[in-house]
Amino acid sequence: MDPMNQSAQISSSQGIADGHNSAAKDSKISMKDLIHWRDPKKSGVVFGVSMLLLLSLAAFSVISVASYLLLALLCVTITFRIYKSVVQAVQKSSDGHPFKSLIEKDVSIPPETFRKHVDSSLTYINRALKQLSRLFLVEDLVDSLKLAVVMWLLTYVGAVFNGITILILADILLFAVPPVYEKNKTQIDQYIDLARTHINSTMAKLQEKLPGAMKRTKSE
């Protein structure tokens, strides 16, 4: 084969591969892009679906919501299956099952993928258990007091809101706060730094009043 033609084919195949890779990257969107509304359509769909699901859970039980969703999906697939069967009978075609490609698709989870996710989850679980053990066994009195204050505040939050209401508010804040922060990053960072400085100074004064055995050592 002519070297020029061979190099041209290689360049063409590389260009096609790069095009497919760029298209695949464009089709994927991360959670960070969603909450920052990089693509308003996708972010709007995700926010709307999540809000609809949470509002449904607020009005109905989890079992009812899951049953209605699965029933709706089943109605769609059964209706489409019957429709395609009627069309094939009228047109006397032999297209086969309309979901044949999906039925033949392998939906099993590879053992390597499962073990990978289990190992990564186990790392976070062990880290959380170690942190909880440190807090509840009062390895550091200041950190344990911080946790006690947070838990005390959460008792008032729980008295006002239930779990679903908190999830709805969290969903709204998740999609509303990042764009606002991105537009006013400088001013917000200034207030955050002031608050952090005030909290650190308060914690330092509190730590100075603690007995010597309970103070944090410099090595920590």
Side-chain angles (χ1 to χ4, degrees):
M1 183 182 290
D2 187 2
M4 294 295 293
N5 293 333
Q6 187 176 4
S7 62
Q9 289 180 357
I10 293 174
S11 301
S12 177
S13 61
Q14 288 178 348
I16 294 173
D18 293 339
H20 286 303
N21 292 334
S22 61
K25 289 180 180 179
D26 292 339
S27 62
K28 294 180 181 179
I29 184 169
S30 64
M31 186 62 189
K32 183 179 179 181
D33 293 332
L34 285 174
I35 62 177
H36 282 86
W37 296 82
R38 306 287 187 225
D39 189 334
K41 290 183 179 179
K42 292 182 179 180
S43 298
V45 169
V46 173
F47 177 66
V49 170
S50 61
M51 282 298 298
L52 180 62
L53 180 61
L54 290 173
L55 291 174
S56 300
L57 291 174
F60 306 99
S61 65
V62 177
I63 296 177
S64 297
V65 173
S67 300
Y68 279 124
L69 290 175
L70 294 176
L71 181 61
L73 177 62
L74 193 57
C75 289
V76 171
T77 54
I78 290 175
T79 303
F80 185 74
R81 175 75 170 87
I82 295 174
Y83 168 75
K84 293 297 290 185
S85 299
V86 172
V87 170
Q88 290 176 18
V90 172
Q91 296 179 352
K92 296 181 180 180
S93 61
S94 57
D95 294 336
H97 200 289
F99 300 119
K100 183 179 179 181
S101 60
L102 295 176
I103 293 174
E104 294 176 350
K105 188 176 181 180
D106 186 15
V107 294
S108 60
I109 301 175
E112 296 80 9
T113 304
F114 180 77
R115 283 193 292 267
K116 178 182 177 182
H117 288 291
V118 169
D119 291 341
S120 61
S121 301
L122 191 61
T123 301
Y124 290 110
I125 291 173
N126 289 334
R127 189 181 303 170
L129 290 175
K130 184 177 180 181
Q131 187 71 7
L132 289 174
S133 175
R134 190 181 71 85
L135 290 171
F136 283 98
L137 297 179
V138 199
E139 178 181 337
D140 189 299
L141 181 60
V142 175
D143 289 341
S144 297
L145 288 175
K146 290 179 183 178
L147 179 63
V149 171
V150 171
M151 294 298 103
W152 177 68
L153 293 175
L154 286 178
T155 59
Y156 288 94
V157 174
V160 178
F161 305 105
N162 57 26
I164 295 296
T165 305
I166 293 175
L167 288 177
I168 292 173
L169 293 175
D171 190 41
I172 295 173
L173 292 175
L174 181 65
F175 283 89
V177 171
V180 174
Y181 174 75
E182 200 170 41
K183 293 179 180 178
N184 306 278
K185 188 175 185 299
T186 305
Q187 297 89 336
I188 295 175
D189 285 343
Q190 290 178 354
Y191 288 112
I192 291 176
D193 290 338
L194 289 174
R196 186 184 293 114
T197 303
H198 180 70
I199 292 173
N200 290 336
S201 63
T202 303
M203 288 295 107
K205 292 178 182 178
L206 178 62
Q207 188 176 344
E208 289 297 326
K209 296 180 181 179
L210 294 175
M214 294 183 179
K215 292 181 181 179
R216 295 181 180 180
T217 61
K218 293 184 179 179
S219 61
E220 295 178 343

